[in-house]
Amino acid sequence: MQCGDGGQLGLDFGADFATRPLVRVTPSRLAAWAGCPRRYRMTYLDRPAPVRGGAWAHNTLGAVVHLALRSLFELAGPARTPQAAAALVDRHWSGEGFRDREQAVAYRERARGWLADYAADLGDDLADAQPVGVERWVSAPVGAIVAEGRIDRIDARGGELVIVDYKTGRHLLDVGDARDSQALALYALAAQRVLHQPCTQVELHHLPTGRVLAWQHDAASLRAHLERAETTAAQAERAGQELARGGDPDELFPPRPSPRCVMCDVRRHCPEGRAAAPAAEPWAFLAP
């Protein structure tokens, strides 16, 4: 499936862009620009950076699960038991953002169950697993950008790499979420450049339900994700350059109010965002 120096699947990611600097991007940075240019500016460009909001319980829960899974794969194979997986939740637990101790304890027990069930579902494969990367940072030129980010897990299966992303949100996912994830596509492109192996399959592992949503990309679908990322990156880069030359920040980085403003960590600095959605308690987005 390789094709000389041009990368995988016939995609010429090694093209010469010496005439213009490549733009370094992460999926979260691209998503911030696409979601709200003002939030992008406040998060990535303003210095000093504006004060941000406090912890959200659902983000704390997700961080704990990710840390526990990282630690699970750091154990020797035979030690990766359901009991060990549950205990790792306790090791990494944080109560930030929860309403009170009672709520935090309830969700800690829920997370313990998720990890134990996940380990049990993997069975013997868990003990034998030797991921290529766990919480692996990748950075590689692809097209007109340098795609960067931290990948939850990179597996090697059948001579190809597989991108694994853990999810703990309350919303049910389907295969379309894996197919449409720009983050997963960019991780696949970066991983195959960094590790010199084909990478087309991406997976979302939803811990609350135990579901695995997998999608097999091809050259066309990866190219479409890359082109969209290049367009977004170029727009953000141009706006940043205009800002540095003294451009109007409100014109270059307009707000994009929506119901999602309720979760924005810089909403206190944005009147339009506060008007778009009422304030919510830090535990409001936990699964019921």
Side-chain angles (χ1 to χ4, degrees), residues 17 19 21 27 51 54 56 69-70 79 87 109 117 142 145 162 206 230 264:
F17 287 94
T19 59
V51 176
W56 292 92
L69 286 165
R70 182 191 67 185
E109 289 306 307
D117 289 345
V142 287
I145 63 174
V162 178
H206 190 241
E230 289 174 327
C264 180

Side-chain angles (χ1 to χ4, degrees), residues 99-172:
R99 182 186 61 230
D100 50 32
R101 184 178 183 279
E102 181 180 4
Q103 185 186 60
V105 168
Y107 277 90
R108 184 180 65 192
E109 289 306 307
R110 190 177 295 194
R112 283 173 54 86
W114 296 345
L115 269 290
D117 289 345
Y118 186 70
D121 288 344
L122 289 174
D124 292 339
D125 290 340
L126 178 60
D128 297 335
Q130 294 183 332
V132 175
V134 176
E135 296 288 335
R136 171 72 182 261
W137 177 265
V138 293
S139 177
V142 287
I145 63 174
V146 176
E148 299 183 325
R150 192 174 303 279
I151 304 174
D152 291 345
R153 199 172 88 220
I154 307 173
D155 290 348
R157 305 179 203 161
E160 295 199 10
L161 304 175
V162 178
I163 303 298
V164 174
D165 191 56
Y166 305 125
K167 294 296 182 184
T168 59
R170 62 180 180 175
H171 297 296
L172 294 179

Side-chain angles (χ1 to χ4, degrees), residues 2-216:
Q2 301 208 12
C3 52
D5 294 334
Q8 312 291 341
L9 302 173
L11 296 173
D12 186 14
F13 298 137
D16 181 9
F17 287 94
T19 59
R20 54 191 172 98
L22 302 185
V23 181
R24 307 182 81 88
V25 298
T26 62
S28 58
R29 190 165 181 140
L30 292 172
W33 171 264
C36 178
R38 175 176 286 176
R39 176 173 175 266
Y40 175 94
R41 173 177 62 80
M42 290 184 175
T43 302
Y44 295 105
L45 302 181
D46 284 358
R47 294 296 179 269
V51 176
R52 304 174 77 165
W56 292 92
H58 67 285
N59 287 340
T60 296
L61 184 62
V64 167
V65 168
H66 278 71
L67 288 170
L69 286 165
R70 182 191 67 185
S71 296
L72 182 66
F73 282 95
E74 290 173 348
L75 298 176
R80 300 172 188 164
T81 64
Q83 295 78 14
L88 288 169
V89 171
D90 295 335
R91 178 195 297 180
H92 295 290
W93 185 252
S94 169
E96 287 190 73
F98 289 93
R99 182 186 61 230
D100 50 32
R101 184 178 183 279
E102 181 180 4
Q103 185 186 60
V105 168
Y107 277 90
R108 184 180 65 192
E109 289 306 307
R110 190 177 295 194
R112 283 173 54 86
W114 296 345
L115 269 290
D117 289 345
Y118 186 70
D121 288 344
L122 289 174
D124 292 339
D125 290 340
L126 178 60
D128 297 335
Q130 294 183 332
V132 175
V134 176
E135 296 288 335
R136 171 72 182 261
W137 177 265
V138 293
S139 177
V142 287
I145 63 174
V146 176
E148 299 183 325
R150 192 174 303 279
I151 304 174
D152 291 345
R153 199 172 88 220
I154 307 173
D155 290 348
R157 305 179 203 161
E160 295 199 10
L161 304 175
V162 178
I163 303 298
V164 174
D165 191 56
Y166 305 125
K167 294 296 182 184
T168 59
R170 62 180 180 175
H171 297 296
L172 294 179
L173 304 174
D174 59 33
V175 172
D177 292 297
R179 177 196 64 210
D180 297 337
S181 171
Q182 185 178 74
L184 293 183
L186 292 180
Y187 289 155
L189 293 173
Q192 67 181 17
R193 286 299 302 273
V194 170
L195 298 171
H196 308 292
Q197 294 185 63
C199 184
T200 57
Q201 181 154 318
V202 298
E203 296 178 354
L204 297 174
H205 291 204
H206 190 241
L207 274 293
T209 62
R211 299 182 67 205
V212 173
L213 297 314
W215 181 257
Q216 191 83 32

